[in-house]
Coordinates of all heavy atoms in Angstrom, one line a residue:
M20 N 88.7 116.4 146.5 CA 87.2 116.2 147.0 C 87.2 115.3 148.1 O 87.8 114.3 148.3 CB 86.4 115.6 145.7 CG 85.0 115.5 146.1 SD 84.0 114.8 144.9 CE 84.5 113.1 144.8
R21 N 86.3 115.7 149.0 CA 86.0 114.9 150.2 C 84.5 114.6 150.2 O 83.6 115.4 149.7 CB 86.3 115.7 151.4 CG 87.8 116.2 151.6 CD 88.6 115.4 152.6 NE 88.0 114.9 153.7 CZ 88.1 115.4 154.9 NH1 88.6 116.5 155.2 NH2 87.4 114.7 155.9
S22 N 84.1 113.7 150.8 CA 82.6 113.3 151.0 C 82.3 112.6 152.3 O 83.2 112.0 152.9 CB 82.1 112.4 149.8 OG 82.8 111.3 149.7
F23 N 81.1 112.5 152.5 CA 80.5 111.7 153.6 C 79.1 111.2 153.4 O 78.4 111.9 152.6 CB 80.7 112.5 155.0 CG 79.8 113.6 155.2 CD1 78.5 113.4 155.7 CD2 80.2 114.8 154.8 CE1 77.7 114.5 155.9 CE2 79.3 116.0 155.0 CZ 78.1 115.8 155.5
T24 N 78.6 110.2 154.0 CA 77.3 109.8 153.9 C 76.7 110.0 155.3 O 77.3 109.8 156.3 CB 77.1 108.4 153.4 OG1 77.8 107.4 154.3 CG2 77.7 108.2 152.0
Y25 N 75.3 110.1 155.3 CA 74.7 110.4 156.5 C 73.2 109.9 156.4 O 72.6 110.2 155.4 CB 74.6 111.8 157.0 CG 74.0 112.1 158.3 CD1 74.6 111.8 159.5 CD2 72.6 112.5 158.4 CE1 74.1 112.0 160.7 CE2 72.0 112.7 159.6 CZ 72.7 112.4 160.7 OH 72.2 112.5 162.0
T26 N 72.8 109.0 157.4 CA 71.4 108.5 157.4 C 70.5 109.5 158.3 O 70.8 109.8 159.4 CB 71.3 107.1 157.9 OG1 72.2 106.3 157.1 CG2 69.9 106.6 157.9
I27 N 69.4 110.0 157.8 CA 68.6 111.0 158.4 C 68.0 110.2 159.5 O 67.2 109.2 159.4 CB 67.6 111.5 157.5 CG1 68.3 112.1 156.2 CG2 66.7 112.6 158.2 CD1 69.3 113.3 156.6
H28 N 68.0 110.8 160.7 CA 67.4 110.3 162.0 C 66.2 111.0 162.5 O 65.5 110.5 163.3 CB 68.4 110.0 163.1 CG 69.6 109.2 162.8 ND1 69.6 107.8 162.6 CD2 70.9 109.6 162.4 CE1 70.7 107.3 162.3 NE2 71.5 108.3 162.2
D29 N 66.1 112.2 162.1 CA 64.9 113.1 162.5 C 63.6 112.4 162.0 O 63.6 112.1 160.7 CB 65.1 114.6 162.0 CG 64.1 115.5 162.6 OD1 62.8 115.0 162.5 OD2 64.5 116.5 162.9
P30 N 62.6 112.1 162.9 CA 61.4 111.7 162.4 C 60.7 112.4 161.3 O 60.0 111.8 160.6 CB 60.6 111.4 163.7 CG 61.5 111.6 164.8 CD 62.7 112.4 164.3
Q31 N 61.0 113.7 161.3 CA 60.3 114.5 160.3 C 61.1 114.6 159.0 O 60.7 115.3 158.0 CB 60.1 115.9 161.0 CG 59.2 115.9 162.0 CD 59.1 117.3 162.7 OE1 59.6 118.3 162.1 NE2 58.2 117.4 163.7
G32 N 62.2 113.8 159.0 CA 63.0 114.0 157.8 C 63.7 115.4 157.7 O 63.9 116.0 158.7
V33 N 64.2 115.8 156.6 CA 64.9 117.0 156.3 C 63.7 118.2 156.3 O 63.0 118.3 155.2 CB 65.7 117.1 155.2 CG1 66.3 118.5 155.0 CG2 66.8 116.1 155.2
H34 N 63.4 118.9 157.3 CA 62.5 119.9 157.3 C 63.1 121.3 157.3 O 64.3 121.4 157.4 CB 61.4 119.7 158.4 CG 62.0 119.5 159.7 ND1 62.0 120.6 160.6 CD2 62.5 118.4 160.4 CE1 62.6 120.1 161.7 NE2 62.8 118.8 161.6
A35 N 62.2 122.3 157.4 CA 62.8 123.7 157.2 C 63.8 124.2 158.3 O 64.9 124.7 157.9 CB 61.6 124.7 157.3
R36 N 63.7 123.8 159.5 CA 64.6 124.3 160.5 C 66.0 123.8 160.3 O 67.0 124.4 160.1 CB 64.2 124.1 161.9 CG 65.0 124.6 163.1 CD 64.7 124.2 164.5 NE 64.8 122.7 164.5 CZ 65.9 122.0 164.7 NH1 67.1 122.6 164.6 NH2 65.9 120.6 164.8
P37 N 66.3 122.4 160.3 CA 67.5 121.9 160.2 C 68.1 122.2 158.8 O 69.3 122.4 158.5 CB 67.4 120.5 160.3 CG 66.0 120.1 160.2 CD 65.2 121.4 160.6
A38 N 67.3 122.2 157.8 CA 67.7 122.6 156.3 C 68.3 124.0 156.4 O 69.3 124.2 155.9 CB 66.6 122.5 155.3
G39 N 67.8 124.9 157.0 CA 68.2 126.4 157.1 C 69.6 126.3 157.8 O 70.5 127.0 157.4
I40 N 69.7 125.6 158.9 CA 71.1 125.6 159.7 C 72.1 125.0 158.7 O 73.2 125.5 158.7 CB 70.8 124.8 160.9 CG1 69.9 125.5 161.9 CG2 72.2 124.5 161.6 CD1 69.4 124.6 163.1
I41 N 71.8 123.9 158.1 CA 72.8 123.2 157.3 C 73.2 124.2 156.1 O 74.4 124.3 155.7 CB 72.2 121.9 156.8 CG1 72.2 121.0 157.9 CG2 73.1 121.4 155.5 CD1 71.5 119.6 157.8
I42 N 72.2 124.8 155.5 CA 72.5 125.7 154.4 C 73.4 126.9 154.8 O 74.4 127.2 154.2 CB 71.1 126.2 153.6 CG1 70.4 125.2 153.1 CG2 71.5 127.5 152.6 CD1 71.0 124.4 151.9
A43 N 73.0 127.4 156.0 CA 73.9 128.5 156.6 C 75.3 128.1 156.8 O 76.3 128.8 156.6 CB 73.3 129.1 157.9
E44 N 75.5 126.9 157.4 CA 76.9 126.4 157.6 C 77.6 126.2 156.2 O 78.7 126.5 156.1 CB 76.7 125.0 158.3 CG 78.1 124.5 158.9 CD 78.6 125.5 159.9 OE1 77.8 126.1 160.7 OE2 79.9 125.6 159.9
T45 N 76.9 125.6 155.2 CA 77.5 125.4 154.0 C 77.9 126.7 153.3 O 79.1 126.8 152.7 CB 76.5 124.7 153.0 OG1 76.1 123.4 153.7 CG2 77.1 124.3 151.6
K46 N 77.1 127.7 153.4 CA 77.5 129.1 152.8 C 78.6 129.7 153.4 O 79.2 130.7 152.8 CB 76.2 130.0 152.8 CG 75.1 129.5 151.9 CD 74.0 130.6 151.8 CE 73.0 130.2 150.9 NZ 72.0 131.2 150.8
K47 N 79.1 129.4 154.5 CA 80.3 129.9 155.2 C 81.6 129.5 154.4 O 82.6 130.1 154.7 CB 80.5 129.3 156.6 CG 79.4 129.9 157.5 CD 79.6 129.2 158.9 CE 78.5 129.7 159.9 NZ 78.7 129.1 161.2
F48 N 81.5 128.7 153.5 CA 82.7 128.2 152.7 C 82.7 128.4 151.2 O 81.5 128.5 150.7 CB 82.9 126.6 153.0 CG 83.0 126.3 154.5 CD1 81.8 125.9 155.2 CD2 84.1 126.4 155.1 CE1 82.0 125.6 156.5 CE2 84.3 126.2 156.5 CZ 83.2 125.8 157.2
Q49 N 83.9 128.5 150.7 CA 83.8 128.7 149.2 C 83.7 127.5 148.3 O 83.4 127.5 147.2 CB 85.2 129.4 148.9 CG 85.4 130.8 149.4 CD 86.6 131.4 149.1 OE1 87.5 130.9 148.5 NE2 86.9 132.7 149.5
S50 N 84.0 126.4 148.9 CA 84.0 125.1 148.2 C 82.6 124.8 147.7 O 81.5 125.3 148.2 CB 84.2 123.9 149.2 OG 85.7 124.0 149.5
N51 N 82.5 124.1 146.6 CA 81.4 123.6 146.0 C 80.9 122.4 146.9 O 81.6 121.6 147.2 CB 81.5 123.1 144.6 CG 81.8 124.3 143.6 OD1 81.3 125.3 143.8 ND2 82.8 124.1 142.7
V52 N 79.6 122.5 147.1 CA 79.0 121.4 148.1 C 77.6 120.9 147.4 O 76.8 121.6 147.1 CB 78.7 121.9 149.4 CG1 78.2 120.8 150.4 CG2 79.9 122.6 150.1
T53 N 77.7 119.6 147.1 CA 76.6 119.0 146.6 C 76.0 118.0 147.6 O 76.6 117.3 148.3 CB 76.7 118.3 145.2 OG1 77.7 117.3 145.4 CG2 77.1 119.4 144.3
L54 N 74.6 117.7 147.5 CA 74.0 116.6 148.3 C 73.3 115.6 147.3 O 72.6 116.1 146.4 CB 73.1 117.1 149.2 CG 72.3 116.1 150.1 CD1 72.2 116.5 151.6 CD2 70.9 115.7 149.6
S55 N 73.5 114.3 147.4 CA 72.8 113.4 146.6 C 71.9 112.5 147.4 O 72.3 112.1 148.4 CB 73.8 112.5 145.8 OG 74.7 113.3 145.0
C56 N 70.8 112.2 146.9 CA 69.9 111.3 147.4 C 68.9 110.7 146.5 O 68.3 111.5 145.6 CB 69.0 112.0 148.6 SG 67.8 111.0 149.5
R57 N 68.6 109.3 146.5 CA 67.9 108.7 145.5 C 68.1 109.0 144.0 O 67.3 109.3 143.2 CB 66.3 109.1 145.7 CG 65.9 108.5 147.0 CD 64.4 108.7 147.2 NE 63.9 110.1 146.9 CZ 63.9 111.2 147.7 NH1 64.3 111.0 149.0 NH2 63.5 112.3 147.3
G58 N 69.4 109.2 143.7 CA 69.9 109.6 142.3 C 69.8 110.9 141.9 O 70.1 111.3 140.8
Q59 N 69.4 111.9 142.8 CA 69.3 113.2 142.5 C 70.3 113.9 143.2 O 70.7 113.7 144.4 CB 67.8 113.8 142.9 CG 66.7 113.3 142.0 CD 65.4 113.8 142.5 OE1 65.1 113.8 143.6 NE2 64.5 114.3 141.6
T60 N 70.9 115.0 142.5 CA 72.0 115.8 143.1 C 71.6 117.3 143.1 O 71.1 117.7 142.0 CB 73.3 115.5 142.4 OG1 73.6 114.1 142.5 CG2 74.5 116.3 143.1
V61 N 71.9 118.0 144.2 CA 71.5 119.3 144.4 C 72.6 120.1 144.9 O 73.5 119.6 145.7 CB 70.2 119.6 145.1 CG1 69.0 118.9 144.4 CG2 70.4 119.2 146.6
D62 N 72.7 121.3 144.8 CA 73.6 122.4 145.4 C 73.2 122.5 146.8 O 72.1 123.0 147.1 CB 73.6 123.7 144.5 CG 74.6 124.7 145.1 OD1 75.2 124.6 146.1 OD2 74.8 125.8 144.3
L63 N 74.1 122.3 147.8 CA 73.7 122.3 149.1 C 73.7 123.7 149.6 O 73.6 124.0 150.8 CB 74.6 121.3 150.0 CG 74.1 121.1 151.4 CD1 72.6 120.5 151.4 CD2 74.9 120.1 152.1
K64 N 73.9 124.7 148.8 CA 73.9 126.2 149.2 C 72.5 126.7 148.8 O 72.3 128.0 149.0 CB 74.9 126.9 148.6 CG 76.3 126.6 149.2 CD 77.4 127.4 148.7 CE 78.8 126.9 149.2 NZ 79.9 127.7 148.7
R65 N 71.5 125.9 148.3 CA 70.2 126.3 147.8 C 69.2 125.7 148.6 O 69.0 124.4 148.3 CB 70.2 126.2 146.3 CG 71.2 126.9 145.5 CD 71.0 126.8 144.0 NE 69.6 127.2 143.6 CZ 68.9 126.4 142.7 NH1 69.4 125.4 142.1 NH2 67.7 127.0 142.4
I66 N 68.5 126.3 149.5 CA 67.6 125.6 150.4 C 66.4 125.0 149.7 O 66.0 124.0 150.0 CB 67.1 126.6 151.5 CG1 66.3 125.8 152.6 CG2 66.2 127.8 151.0 CD1 66.1 126.5 154.0
F67 N 65.8 125.7 148.7 CA 64.7 125.2 147.9 C 65.2 123.9 147.1 O 64.3 123.0 147.0 CB 64.1 126.2 147.1 CG 63.5 127.3 147.7 CD1 64.0 128.6 147.7 CD2 62.3 127.1 148.5 CE1 63.4 129.6 148.2 CE2 61.7 128.1 149.2 CZ 62.2 129.3 149.1
A68 N 66.3 123.8 146.7 CA 66.9 122.6 146.0 C 66.7 121.4 147.1 O 66.4 120.3 146.8 CB 68.2 122.8 145.6
L69 N 67.4 121.7 148.3 CA 67.4 120.7 149.3 C 66.0 120.3 149.8 O 65.7 119.1 149.8 CB 68.2 121.2 150.5 CG 68.2 120.3 151.8 CD1 68.8 119.0 151.4 CD2 69.0 121.0 152.9
M70 N 65.1 121.2 150.1 CA 63.8 121.0 150.5 C 62.9 120.1 149.3 O 62.1 119.4 149.6 CB 63.0 122.2 150.9 CG 63.7 123.0 152.1 SD 63.6 121.9 153.5 CE 61.8 121.9 153.7
G71 N 63.3 120.4 148.1 CA 62.6 119.9 147.0 C 62.9 118.2 146.9 O 62.1 117.7 146.2
L72 N 63.9 117.9 147.6 CA 64.2 116.4 147.5 C 63.2 115.6 148.4 O 63.1 114.5 148.3 CB 65.7 116.1 147.9 CG 66.7 116.6 147.0 CD1 68.1 116.3 147.5 CD2 66.5 115.8 145.7
C73 N 62.6 116.3 149.3 CA 61.6 115.7 150.4 C 62.3 114.4 151.0 O 61.7 113.3 150.9 CB 60.3 115.3 149.6 SG 59.5 116.7 148.9
I74 N 63.5 114.7 151.6 CA 64.2 113.5 152.2 C 63.6 113.0 153.5 O 63.3 113.9 154.4 CB 65.7 114.0 152.4 CG1 66.3 114.3 151.1 CG2 66.4 112.8 153.1 CD1 67.7 115.1 151.3
K75 N 63.2 111.8 153.6 CA 62.5 111.3 154.7 C 63.5 110.6 155.7 O 64.6 110.3 155.4 CB 61.6 110.2 154.2 CG 60.7 110.5 153.2 CD 59.4 111.3 153.6 CE 58.4 111.6 152.5 NZ 58.3 112.9 152.2
C76 N 63.0 110.5 157.0 CA 63.7 109.7 158.0 C 64.2 108.3 157.5 O 63.3 107.6 156.8 CB 62.9 109.6 159.2 SG 63.7 108.7 160.6
G77 N 65.3 107.9 157.6 CA 65.9 106.6 157.3 C 66.7 106.6 156.0 O 67.3 105.6 155.6
E78 N 66.4 107.6 155.1 CA 67.2 107.8 153.9 C 68.5 108.2 154.2 O 68.8 108.9 155.1 CB 66.5 108.7 153.0 CG 65.1 108.3 152.6 CD 64.4 109.1 151.4 OE1 64.1 110.2 151.8 OE2 64.3 108.6 150.3
T79 N 69.3 107.7 153.2 CA 70.8 108.1 153.4 C 71.3 109.0 152.2 O 70.8 108.9 151.1 CB 71.7 106.8 153.2 OG1 71.4 106.0 154.3 CG2 73.2 107.1 153.2
V80 N 71.9 110.2 152.7 CA 72.4 111.1 151.7 C 73.8 111.1 151.6 O 74.6 110.7 152.6 CB 71.9 112.5 152.1 CG1 70.4 112.7 152.2 CG2 72.5 113.0 153.5
T81 N 74.5 111.6 150.5 CA 75.9 111.7 150.2 C 76.2 113.1 150.0 O 75.6 113.7 149.1 CB 76.3 110.8 149.0 OG1 76.0 109.4 149.4 CG2 77.8 111.0 148.9
V82 N 77.2 113.7 150.8 CA 77.5 115.1 150.6 C 79.0 115.1 150.1 O 79.8 114.3 150.7 CB 77.4 115.9 151.9 CG1 78.0 117.3 151.9 CG2 76.1 115.9 152.5
E83 N 79.2 115.8 148.9 CA 80.5 116.0 148.3 C 81.0 117.4 148.4 O 80.1 118.2 148.1 CB 80.5 115.4 146.9 CG 80.2 113.9 146.8 CD 80.3 113.4 145.3 OE1 80.4 114.3 144.5 OE2 80.2 112.3 145.2
V84 N 82.2 117.6 148.8 CA 82.7 118.9 148.9 C 84.0 118.9 148.2 O 84.9 118.2 148.4 CB 83.0 119.3 150.6 CG1 83.5 120.7 150.7 CG2 81.6 119.0 151.3
S85 N 84.1 120.0 147.4 CA 85.5 120.2 146.7 C 85.7 121.7 146.5 O 84.9 122.5 146.2 CB 85.3 119.7 145.2 OG 84.4 120.3 144.5
G86 N 87.0 122.0 146.9 CA 87.4 123.4 146.9 C 88.6 123.7 147.8 O 89.1 122.7 148.4
M87 N 89.0 124.8 147.8 CA 90.2 125.2 148.6 C 90.0 124.8 150.1 O 91.0 124.6 150.8 CB 90.5 126.6 148.4 CG 91.0 127.0 147.1 SD 91.4 128.7 146.7 CE 91.1 129.6 148.3
D88 N 88.8 125.2 150.6 CA 88.6 124.9 152.0 C 87.8 123.7 152.4 O 87.1 123.7 153.3 CB 87.9 126.2 152.6 CG 86.5 126.6 151.9 OD1 86.2 125.9 151.0 OD2 86.1 127.6 152.4
E89 N 87.8 122.7 151.5 CA 87.1 121.5 151.6 C 87.3 120.8 152.9 O 86.3 120.1 153.5 CB 87.3 120.5 150.4 CG 88.6 119.8 150.2 CD 88.8 119.1 149.0 OE1 88.2 119.5 148.0 OE2 89.6 118.2 149.1
D90 N 88.5 120.8 153.5 CA 88.8 120.0 154.7 C 88.0 120.6 155.8 O 87.2 119.9 156.6 CB 90.3 119.9 155.0 CG 91.0 119.1 154.1 OD1 90.5 118.1 153.5 OD2 92.2 119.4 153.9
D91 N 87.9 121.9 156.0 CA 87.2 122.6 157.0 C 85.7 122.5 156.9 O 84.9 122.3 157.8 CB 87.6 124.1 157.2 CG 89.1 124.2 157.7 OD1 89.6 123.3 158.4 OD2 89.6 125.2 157.3
A92 N 85.4 122.6 155.6 CA 83.9 122.6 155.2 C 83.3 121.3 155.4 O 82.2 121.2 156.1 CB 83.7 123.0 153.6
V93 N 83.9 120.2 155.1 CA 83.4 118.8 155.3 C 83.2 118.6 156.7 O 82.2 117.9 157.2 CB 84.1 117.7 154.6 CG1 85.4 117.3 155.4 CG2 83.2 116.5 154.4
T94 N 84.1 119.0 157.6 CA 84.0 118.8 159.1 C 82.9 119.5 159.5 O 82.1 119.0 160.4 CB 85.3 119.1 159.8 OG1 86.4 118.3 159.3 CG2 85.2 119.0 161.2
A95 N 82.7 120.9 159.3 CA 81.7 121.7 159.8 C 80.3 121.2 159.3 O 79.3 121.1 160.1 CB 81.9 123.2 159.3
I96 N 80.2 120.8 158.1 CA 78.9 120.4 157.5 C 78.3 119.1 158.0 O 77.3 118.9 158.4 CB 78.9 120.5 155.9 CG1 79.2 121.8 155.4 CG2 77.7 119.8 155.3 CD1 79.5 121.8 154.0
E97 N 79.4 118.2 158.2 CA 79.0 116.8 158.8 C 78.7 117.1 160.3 O 77.7 116.4 160.7 CB 80.3 115.9 158.8 CG 80.0 114.5 159.1 CD 81.0 113.6 158.7 OE1 82.1 113.9 158.5 OE2 80.8 112.3 158.9
N98 N 79.3 118.0 161.0 CA 78.8 118.3 162.4 C 77.4 118.8 162.3 O 76.6 118.5 163.1 CB 79.8 119.2 163.1 CG 81.0 118.5 163.5 OD1 81.1 117.3 163.6 ND2 82.0 119.3 163.5
A99 N 77.1 119.6 161.4 CA 75.7 120.3 161.2 C 74.8 119.2 161.0 O 73.6 119.2 161.7 CB 75.7 121.4 160.2
F100 N 75.0 118.3 160.3 CA 74.1 117.1 160.1 C 73.8 116.2 161.3 O 72.8 116.0 161.7 CB 74.6 116.1 158.9 CG 74.2 116.5 157.5 CD1 74.8 117.5 156.9 CD2 73.0 116.0 157.1 CE1 74.3 117.8 155.5 CE2 72.6 116.2 155.7 CZ 73.2 117.3 155.0
H101 N 75.0 116.0 162.0 CA 74.9 115.2 163.2 C 74.1 115.8 164.4 O 73.5 115.3 165.0 CB 76.3 114.7 163.7 CG 76.9 113.7 162.9 ND1 76.5 112.4 163.1 CD2 77.9 113.8 161.9 CE1 77.3 111.6 162.3 NE2 78.1 112.4 161.6
N102 N 74.3 117.2 164.5 CA 73.7 118.0 165.5 C 72.2 118.4 165.2 O 71.4 118.8 166.1 CB 74.4 119.3 165.8 CG 75.8 118.9 166.4 OD1 76.0 117.9 167.1 ND2 76.8 119.7 166.1
N103 N 71.7 118.3 163.9 CA 70.4 118.8 163.6 C 69.5 117.7 163.0 O 68.3 118.0 162.9 CB 70.6 120.0 162.7 CG 71.2 121.1 163.4 OD1 70.7 121.7 164.3 ND2 72.5 121.3 163.1
L104 N 70.1 116.7 162.4 CA 69.2 115.6 161.9 C 69.4 114.3 162.3 O 69.1 113.3 161.9 CB 69.4 115.5 160.2 CG 68.9 116.8 159.6 CD1 69.6 116.9 158.1 CD2 67.4 116.8 159.4

């Protein structure tokens, strides 16, 4: 299992456009991917689960990736966070 943390910098928090990009990137991989924030954990391949967390600017999330392609997945997903949030 691999993981990373990321602090949201977008003033709007996690909104539809970046959430869609991150979900699309996550779905490219077979690994299981979860995101945790404020004690809640969701499947990062489900956009409504991610949007339901209502993550605001300044909050820190933890993404955990486990599976056969976890090394590639964590790199790509972390880049998606850096480029979109």
Side-chain angles (χ1 to χ4, degrees):
M20 179 179 74
R21 304 250 335 256
S22 66
F23 68 90
T24 59
Y25 183 78
T26 301
I27 305 302
H28 299 289
D29 189 314
Q31 297 176 6
V33 178
H34 55 95
R36 185 194 56 78
I40 293 168
I41 289 167
I42 298 298
E44 192 64 36
T45 302
K46 286 184 174 183
K47 293 177 182 178
F48 301 96
Q49 293 180 359
S50 291
N51 294 321
V52 184
T53 60
L54 179 139
S55 300
C56 183
R57 296 185 312 274
Q59 296 180 308
T60 301
V61 298
D62 181 350
L63 198 52
K64 293 183 180 182
R65 300 181 58 220
I66 193 162
F67 290 116
L69 175 59
M70 295 298 295
L72 290 177
C73 300
I74 301 168
K75 309 276 188 240
C76 182
E78 291 189 292
T79 299
V80 299
T81 301
V82 176
E83 293 184 353
V84 183
S85 62
M87 294 181 358
D88 55 0
E89 67 187 29
D90 291 330
D91 293 333
V93 79
T94 300
I96 296 165
E97 190 169 13
N98 285 338
F100 271 84
H101 284 283
N102 293 331
N103 296 287
L104 288 169

